[in-house]
Amino acid sequence: MVLRRFALVLLAACFAWPQLTQAADVLDVSKLPGILLDDAAAQKEGPWHDSTHSAPYVGAGYLHSGTSKMPDSNAPKSLTFATVVPEAGEYEVFLAYNGGANRAQQAPIIIQHQNGESRQRLNQRPGPKGPASFQSLGKFHFPSDEKAVVKITNDNPDGIIIADAVLLVAIKDLPKLKKFEAKTVDPGDKKAQQQKEELATAPPFERIETTGLHTLTPRELDELIESVAAIDNPTPLVDDESFLRRVTLDAIGRVPTEQEWRTFLEDPSSDKRAKLIDRLLASEEFGVNWANYWSDVFSYRTPQPELTFLSYNTPKHWLAEQLNKGVGWDQVSYQLLTGVGKVADNPAAFYVGYHQADVSRLAGESTRIFLGAQIQCAECHDHPFVDIPQERFHQMAAFFVRTKAELPWNDSTQIVVKSKPKGEHKMPETKQIMLPAVFDGEPLAQDTSDLERRAQLAKWVVSPENELFAKAYVNRMWDRLMDRPFCDPVDEITDLAGYPTLPEVHNAVAEHFVANRYDSKALLRLILNSQAYQRQLPKTDEHHGPLEASSPEKLRSDEIFASLAAAIDLPNLKGEQKKPTGDERFPPPPKSTQDLVRDAFGYDPSLGDQFRPQTMQQAMFMMNNRQLQAQIAADEGARTKLAKILADNPDDAQAIEKLFVNVLGRRPTDKDAQISRDYLKQVDDRRAAFEDLLWSLINSAEFTTRR
């Protein structure tokens, strides 16, 4: 049976849970308005120290820069609190800390906002003057599409810097803050104690380090593929133009710009492809691209609640940040499975919160996404085709039975994930209590708390002993980069799923992923540098074996939008919010240009090519969308990219080449150039002729396909 050999490893182990602090030390912030960022969510650079010495404080404690007796107290360090506000506007920013005689008199604080950057020095010795342990840092305007950042450094602070939490409160909500009374949780107050337990956080992630794992070089990967795939007739490697477009789309989700195209082609170095890959993986766009992919993975199987419209902007910003920083997929997954609190404060809570803590959906989706095992068919009966008893599904559901989600009206960032003090999951028909257990593992005790259940599940899921976790991620990345997964469908990789292709390669690449601490960039660097990835498309209809040639792949909707933005400067305009009416009390949020592209071109990336058809809706958008048409215009006074190309290039041949490079990332072929010139001769109006030419390129299958 799959995983039988290690299902007991973690569940039988003793987990060292941290001792709870005295409840009276902890601030009750459950009714605090605004966006609260605890120190646990901050990005740390340099040595910071945890403490619970001075009460009260938010969460499990606070951070300090080090006492004079600590050798690292003066080492360079910074602490960055960052979030995306749900609505653009003016916010008052507060910092929570506790005062004292040895505190910093000149704590350096940098606030990044819409109008630039503000710097100040805060005297922390007197203690905060605001509500509870919060001190106002001022009012600032933040946009909704960029992060609001509060950064603390230790540049000559003259004392110990204390950082507990950052709070952002919209100006309209400040009256609520004035009504807030700072309270600590009294151990004798059962209701307050319950509220504290509801928002308790899981133990911090701790990776189980592994040794003796084998890593691969791109050459070793190619040699392994050749040895097991019996490659007899491989296509040659793609030319530089084709490689540039392919790898730019795969790494950062858009076509290359003209400047990127020129820089790469003019580079004479023999290793310029490897250097390009490194530059793309270091780009901030890398995280954005793959956060978009994972957002689609999550969102297409998450139904919309009745009164709340789910926005993935905040989770995507968080995912992008994790991926760009090289945070391992094991740590990301742990945070998703154990997320607690408000989504605005802890974006990782979206996974449980957006599913409304529904035990059935979380059981099915958690195994499907993180393990590549589809057990949802066993919810109502034993699986009809493979050996998955109904009990296995409900044992998985029992991990989430003590989790709850509170949903507000409209704003999904205000969804709060909490823990329930009691409750057990039962079989639908027999009402038999089902205790949490993973596959064939031993069940947990009946009184196990919510966070202990989810933390134990998460630790088992991401354990190096659990080979399905790494293989599930690798199968998805291989599918996206090579347009063919090792196991099909992409979210079913267990031995019971059928006949996987190249299992030796799958296992070796997964081992490489684990050996690199589950770093997505290390995995992509391996694949993108391989010859298997860089092969040409077949020139004819001749059949090619696995990995003997590349395959075309339909772009995701976000890739199409980003490519339109790069090719023709398509802006992401937002629609106007409808006002509530008697017939529609909760009108949906206005759709942006990117939303409209998603409506037309979006698809579930967990489904195969047969579920990604060309549709009339797609054709009508590309032909008729007003915003897109406005960017194709080249008439006098138009400030479009096409108008600039025509103004700067009176020679038609040069203008044609510029157009092809900007839209398709390549020069026109001789045939392309001849067809374009012939058409220009037929049309008296040069601007109109080039508008038609640009329109035809945007509407070509090549533009919406990764080749």
Side-chain angles (χ1 to χ4, degrees), residues 54 98-105 123-127 157-160 162:
S54 299
N98 49 70
N102 61 353
R103 302 304 194 238
Q105 292 193 91
N123 184 1
Q124 293 190 319
R125 292 189 179 181
D158 190 19
I160 302 172
I162 305 295

Side-chain angles (χ1 to χ4, degrees), residues 57 65 114 201 220 313 347 359 396 407 580 607 653 693:
Y57 43 78
S65 58
Q114 181 168 300
T201 56
E220 288 173 336
N313 290 336
V359 296
M396 184 63 67
L407 275 67
L607 299 177
L693 178 56

Side-chain angles (χ1 to χ4, degrees), residues 611-657:
F611 297 98
R612 305 171 190 176
Q614 299 289 337
T615 67
M616 181 61 68
Q617 183 183 9
Q618 295 168 5
M620 296 302 292
F621 178 87
M622 298 299 280
M623 289 190 294
N624 298 326
N625 178 265
R626 286 181 295 176
Q627 293 166 218
L628 194 150
Q629 292 299 317
Q631 295 306 114
I632 292 178
D635 53 286
E636 189 173 352
R639 297 182 178 180
T640 62
K641 181 175 284 190
L642 176 58
K644 188 175 189 308
I645 288 175
L646 296 183
D648 294 345
N649 299 274
D651 180 82
D652 286 347
Q654 291 180 342
I656 290 170
E657 178 174 301

Side-chain angles (χ1 to χ4, degrees), residues 160-408:
I160 302 172
I161 300 172
I162 305 295
D164 188 2
V166 165
L167 177 68
L168 283 73
V169 182
I171 297 302
K172 62 182 177 62
D173 292 331
L174 286 176
K176 299 178 183 178
L177 182 62
K178 293 179 180 179
K179 297 178 181 179
F180 174 76
E181 295 181 5
K183 294 181 179 180
T184 55
V185 180
D186 184 350
D189 187 337
K190 293 184 178 180
K191 183 177 180 180
Q193 181 67 18
Q194 178 180 333
Q195 290 177 343
K196 173 183 173 295
E197 292 173 354
E198 286 178 347
L199 290 173
T201 56
F205 170 77
E206 294 183 10
R207 178 177 290 112
I208 300 176
E209 299 295 343
T210 55
T211 58
L213 296 178
H214 181 66
T215 59
L216 293 169
T217 65
R219 182 174 180 178
E220 288 173 336
L221 175 59
D222 285 319
E223 290 173 348
L224 177 60
I225 290 172
E226 290 176 8
S227 68
V228 300
I231 293 180
D232 299 320
N233 186 32
T235 60
L237 302 187
V238 294
D239 58 39
D240 282 344
E241 277 189 328
S242 299
F243 173 77
L244 173 64
R245 183 178 189 270
R246 180 187 297 179
V247 75
T248 305
L249 278 166
D250 283 340
I252 63 174
R254 61 164 173 80
V255 295
T257 65
E258 181 182 350
Q259 184 58 51
E260 291 167 341
W261 172 85
R262 192 174 308 281
T263 300
F264 180 68
L265 294 187
E266 292 176 353
D267 185 352
S269 59
S270 60
D271 62 343
K272 67 180 184 179
R273 293 193 179 190
K275 291 192 298 185
L276 170 65
I277 291 169
D278 287 341
R279 286 198 301 271
L280 293 173
L281 296 181
S283 167
E284 292 293 314
E285 292 177 273
F286 167 79
V288 173
N289 174 44
W290 288 98
N292 283 328
Y293 167 82
W294 283 106
S295 176
D296 284 349
V297 171
F298 291 115
S299 65
Y300 272 93
R301 307 289 177 92
T302 306
Q304 289 282 344
E306 185 175 351
L307 297 178
T308 300
F309 299 98
L310 299 182
S311 169
Y312 284 82
N313 290 336
T314 296
K316 281 197 287 190
H317 279 287
W318 175 77
L319 280 169
E321 183 178 48
Q322 305 305 298
L323 295 170
N324 280 331
K325 291 194 300 185
V327 176
W329 185 243
D330 55 343
Q331 183 172 346
V332 172
S333 301
Y334 179 89
Q335 293 177 80
L336 291 172
L337 289 167
T338 61
V340 171
K342 189 187 300 182
V343 172
D345 303 335
N346 178 20
F350 90 90
Y351 174 65
V352 173
Y354 283 15
H355 279 293
Q356 304 173 65
D358 184 281
V359 296
S360 295
R361 291 206 298 268
L362 288 170
E365 286 296 272
S366 297
T367 52
R368 183 184 73 86
I369 293 174
F370 300 112
L371 300 177
Q374 297 193 28
I375 67 171
Q376 60 269 27
C377 287
E379 179 177 4
C380 301
H381 46 70
D382 293 347
H383 199 292
F385 305 117
V386 293
D387 185 17
I388 300 179
Q390 184 182 9
E391 288 77 10
R392 181 178 298 173
F393 177 91
H394 291 281
Q395 286 173 329
M396 184 63 67
F399 280 104
F400 300 98
V401 72
R402 294 192 177 190
T403 310
K404 66 178 180 179
E406 296 178 354
L407 275 67

Side-chain angles (χ1 to χ4, degrees), residues 26 47 55 77 94 102 165 192 211 231 233 271 319 334 358 403 412 425 438 446 452 488 521 536 610 625 645 649 672:
V26 182
K77 64 197 69 176
F94 297 85
N102 61 353
T211 58
I231 293 180
N233 186 32
D271 62 343
L319 280 169
Y334 179 89
D358 184 281
T403 310
S412 58
H425 185 64
V438 286
Q446 183 167 329
E452 192 171 356
D488 193 7
K521 294 184 180 182
Q536 292 181 9
Q610 65 271 29
N625 178 265
I645 288 175
N649 299 274
D672 292 331

Side-chain angles (χ1 to χ4, degrees), residues 405-626:
E406 296 178 354
L407 275 67
W409 290 353
N410 279 338
D411 188 356
S412 58
T413 66
Q414 301 304 301
I415 290 176
V416 180
V417 177
K418 295 183 177 182
S419 297
K420 295 186 290 188
K422 58 183 179 180
E424 299 297 344
H425 185 64
K426 299 178 181 179
M427 288 287 285
E429 295 85 9
T430 65
K431 305 304 178 184
Q432 174 189 353
I433 290 178
M434 301 302 297
L435 299 178
V438 286
F439 293 3
D440 292 334
E442 290 293 326
L444 300 182
Q446 183 167 329
D447 292 332
T448 306
S449 69
D450 168 54
L451 281 180
E452 192 171 356
R453 292 180 191 224
R454 289 198 279 147
Q456 296 240 23
L457 171 65
K459 289 191 176 189
W460 175 81
V461 165
V462 306
S463 166
E465 295 290 332
N466 183 354
E467 63 184 25
L468 288 185
F469 177 69
K471 291 178 66 175
Y473 189 90
V474 166
N475 197 49
R476 285 186 173 276
M477 296 300 101
W478 196 267
D479 174 52
R480 192 63 207 167
L481 299 176
M482 312 297 273
D483 196 40
R484 61 190 80 189
F486 292 112
C487 301
D488 193 7
V490 73
D491 48 10
E492 179 60 277
I493 67 168
T494 66
D495 295 342
L496 304 174
Y499 303 95
T501 60
L502 306 180
E504 301 91 344
V505 180
H506 193 181
N507 291 334
V509 177
E511 185 175 351
H512 176 89
F513 183 46
V514 178
N516 282 279
R517 301 165 67 90
Y518 302 90
D519 182 5
S520 302
K521 294 184 180 182
L523 176 61
L524 265 70
R525 184 175 288 108
L526 169 69
I527 299 173
L528 298 179
N529 277 291
S530 70
Q531 291 190 1
Y533 170 81
Q534 297 181 25
R535 297 206 181 279
Q536 292 181 9
L537 298 171
K539 297 288 186 182
T540 66
D541 293 335
E542 180 183 357
H543 174 72
H544 285 266
L547 302 182
E548 286 187 337
S550 183
S551 300
E553 183 171 8
K554 185 176 180 181
L555 298 182
R556 301 191 314 269
S557 65
D558 57 273
E559 293 171 320
I560 292 174
F561 173 79
S563 294
L564 286 168
I568 62 173
D569 294 336
L570 182 68
N572 188 26
L573 302 180
K574 296 182 180 180
E576 186 176 345
Q577 176 66 57
K578 294 181 180 178
K579 295 182 179 180
T581 65
D583 296 330
E584 192 176 30
R585 294 179 57 199
F586 303 102
K591 290 191 175 182
S592 65
T593 312
Q594 187 168 2
D595 293 331
L596 298 176
V597 174
R598 189 178 193 272
D599 288 345
F601 291 92
Y603 59 82
D604 185 346
S606 299
L607 299 177
D609 291 342
Q610 65 271 29
F611 297 98
R612 305 171 190 176
Q614 299 289 337
T615 67
M616 181 61 68
Q617 183 183 9
Q618 295 168 5
M620 296 302 292
F621 178 87
M622 298 299 280
M623 289 190 294
N624 298 326
N625 178 265
R626 286 181 295 176

